[in-house]
Amino acid sequence: MPFHVMLIPTLGCPSKCNYCWSSDENSPKMSIETVKEVVEWLKGFRDDPVTFTFHGGEPLLAGADFYRKALPLLAEGLSHRKVAFALQTNLWKMTLELAKILAEYDIPIGSSLDGPKKINDVQRGKGYYDKTMKGYKIATENGLGVKFICTFTSESVKHRDEIVDFFMENGWTLKLHPALPSLRSDEPEKWALDPKEYGELLVYLLDKYLENFGSFEVMNIDHLCKCVFTGHGTVCTFVDCMGDTFAVGPDGSIYPCYRFVGMPKYVMGNVYDRPGMEDLARSEAWKTMHQFKELVDRECKECAHINYCRGGCPYNAMTPADGEIKSVDPHCVAYKRIFEEITDRVNKEMFGSPDMGMAPFGFGPEKGSRAGIMSIMLKRL
């Protein structure tokens, strides 16, 4: 797991997505002084390469001047190591000035779009689609790469064909996210995608990927196949992320992940105090995260997928239990469904199947035959 620090300039956000858990109108904004303290903290914390992801809330609310100062502070202040950046935004606040600042550092942008306008705006609010596409145009016209995350909810999963067709028609890679219950919501399950439905959605997307291999990509399927192929997790959901991923809130508080930012119970320390790993490990939040790791080692030890699943995400696991560690990620049902589907297809391809022409040594299909699971496994990401 690469070292990853999420910087949360604010939990405020101008959009009001129905299933969102991270919008706080009264959230303060991170100061440049706090960014300087992040640099000083990391100088004595670790010396390996680090990726900073600006997340939120809506990180562009911090404004152009914030990024004009923050980016060189981070890049030059930690120049003894490799520094990379990323940004997650709804793009509403994208301007020509901001786009040029971000382009100087070649920052990849992740945004959110849940399908065509009608489907998207039901979930994310009227006007969301048009505002995001306006920002998308500014970003891409100024050389910024933008990829969209599509959140599937209990409602939008009913329109999966329309959503997939929309992404294919636009030539966009599909990265999906299941709507999650929230520790902050009074109705945490309202929009959440049922784990069984999520599993079937993943199998459906695997089929769509293979049917259109070479012209359509599903990022999640790429990573799930790589998990099985390499025998270890390839994204944070499927690794023991504790100690390699942190989030820093607007006031400098350090959390295990951006999903916990703003909740005092999960503060591990503050960059102004420049804590070491041992200091963070004494916090209750750290101990809670490690309770999850211990539970997975105990409860999942007989599971064939434990090495590349690791019980899923601890935040997901804590939500149904009001913040306590009582079980693994409830999406376990979905993970097992897709991992077993991938494994079964690999075995069929390796040993041959009636509808799959095999290339020499069993690696993938013969020319002219339908793409198989090994085509995805051997693809370079």
Side-chain angles (χ1 to χ4, degrees):
M1 183 74 186
F3 185 32
H4 186 195
V5 177
M6 301 178 182
L7 299 178
I8 316 300
T10 178
L11 284 174
C13 183
S15 61
K16 295 290 180 287
C17 301
N18 285 312
Y19 50 78
C20 184
W21 44 264
S22 63
S23 180
D24 179 359
E25 292 181 3
N26 299 315
S27 174
K29 293 179 183 177
M30 183 178 286
S31 68
I32 290 301
E33 186 60 37
T34 298
V35 176
K36 291 178 182 177
E37 291 299 323
V38 169
V39 172
E40 295 305 314
W41 168 52
L42 291 178
K43 281 180 180 178
F45 187 69
R46 286 173 59 158
D47 59 5
D48 48 338
V50 58
T51 295
F52 291 103
T53 297
F54 294 95
H55 214 296
E58 174 45 60
L60 293 189
L61 284 174
D65 193 52
F66 174 83
Y67 288 98
R68 186 182 291 109
K69 295 175 181 177
L71 291 170
L73 279 171
L74 294 163
E76 296 166 18
L78 299 168
S79 59
H80 62 288
R81 66 214 286 177
K82 184 178 179 181
V83 175
F85 297 106
L87 186 142
Q88 184 67 33
T89 169
N90 63 22
L91 291 170
W92 290 16
K93 298 296 181 180
M94 181 60 71
T95 63
L96 178 60
E97 183 182 16
L98 263 168
K100 288 182 176 179
I101 293 168
L102 300 174
E104 285 182 34
Y105 291 84
D106 195 25
I107 297 179
I109 291 177
S111 192
S112 298
L113 214 56
D114 293 350
K117 183 175 179 177
K118 183 177 180 181
I119 295 172
N120 180 86
D121 285 9
V122 166
Q123 299 189 165
R124 290 186 170 269
K126 186 177 180 181
Y128 185 107
Y129 182 93
D130 290 337
K131 291 175 184 177
T132 293
M133 293 311 296
K134 181 180 177 182
Y136 173 77
K137 186 171 185 243
I138 295 171
T140 54
E141 286 180 349
N142 286 277
L144 290 166
V146 179
K147 290 187 176 181
F148 290 108
I149 296 173
C150 176
T151 299
F152 279 86
T153 68
S154 55
E155 289 300 314
S156 67
V157 73
K158 301 168 187 173
H159 306 282
R160 64 186 192 181
D161 289 324
E162 193 175 347
I163 292 169
V164 169
D165 287 345
F166 170 77
F167 274 83
M168 289 180 66
E169 288 163 7
N170 283 283
W172 292 331
T173 296
L174 175 62
K175 181 179 180 183
L176 68 137
H177 179 75
L180 300 165
S182 169
L183 287 173
R184 308 170 196 243
S185 174
D186 294 330
E187 299 180 284
E189 301 290 341
K190 183 176 179 181
W191 291 87
L193 184 62
D194 177 79
K196 288 184 179 178
E197 282 194 281
Y198 181 33
E200 294 309 313
L201 174 65
L202 289 171
V203 174
Y204 162 82
L205 289 170
L206 172 60
D207 286 331
K208 295 295 285 188
Y209 193 164
L210 292 172
E211 287 168 13
N212 299 277
F213 192 75
S215 61
F216 176 57
E217 292 181 308
V218 184
M219 195 179 295
N220 306 64
I221 300 300
D222 280 332
H223 287 292
L224 290 162
C225 287
K226 286 294 184 186
C227 284
V228 176
F229 185 61
T230 62
H232 60 79
T234 58
V235 290
C236 65
T237 302
F238 304 122
V239 295
D240 291 324
C241 59
M242 196 63 193
D244 289 311
T245 297
F246 298 97
V248 179
D251 65 349
S253 293
I254 303 167
Y255 302 83
C257 175
Y258 77 99
R259 290 175 174 171
F260 298 100
V261 173
M263 292 187 280
K265 180 178 177 181
Y266 299 101
V267 173
M268 298 189 296
N270 194 291
V271 296
Y272 283 85
D273 300 322
R274 300 178 193 173
M277 195 75 80
E278 292 180 358
D279 298 314
L280 299 180
R282 285 192 285 269
S283 68
E284 290 303 312
W286 180 287
K287 293 172 185 175
T288 298
M289 296 298 114
H290 276 269
Q291 285 175 22
F292 179 74
K293 174 181 167 61
E294 292 164 5
L295 181 142
V296 170
D297 287 337
R298 182 174 67 252
E299 299 294 326
C300 304
K301 61 183 178 182
E302 302 299 328
C303 179
H305 312 294
I306 184 173
N307 289 336
Y308 48 81
C309 176
R310 294 303 305 156
C313 174
Y315 178 89
N316 295 357
M318 294 163 67
T319 300
D322 196 28
E324 295 183 29
I325 298 293
K326 293 185 177 179
S327 66
V328 298
D329 186 334
H331 286 144
C332 172
V333 174
Y335 305 148
K336 278 186 177 179
R337 177 73 176 93
I338 189 62
F339 282 138
E340 287 171 5
E341 185 71 23
I342 292 169
T343 302
D344 287 346
R345 294 191 191 199
V346 169
N347 289 334
K348 286 178 182 177
E349 285 184 32
M350 293 297 289
F351 297 104
S353 67
D355 60 346
M356 181 66 67
M358 297 306 294
F361 309 109
F363 290 115
E366 289 181 338
K367 188 175 181 180
S369 64
R370 180 174 175 269
I373 203 79
M374 290 300 294
S375 304
I376 302 177
M377 286 187 163
L378 297 174
K379 188 182 121 185
R380 180 172 292 182
L381 300 184

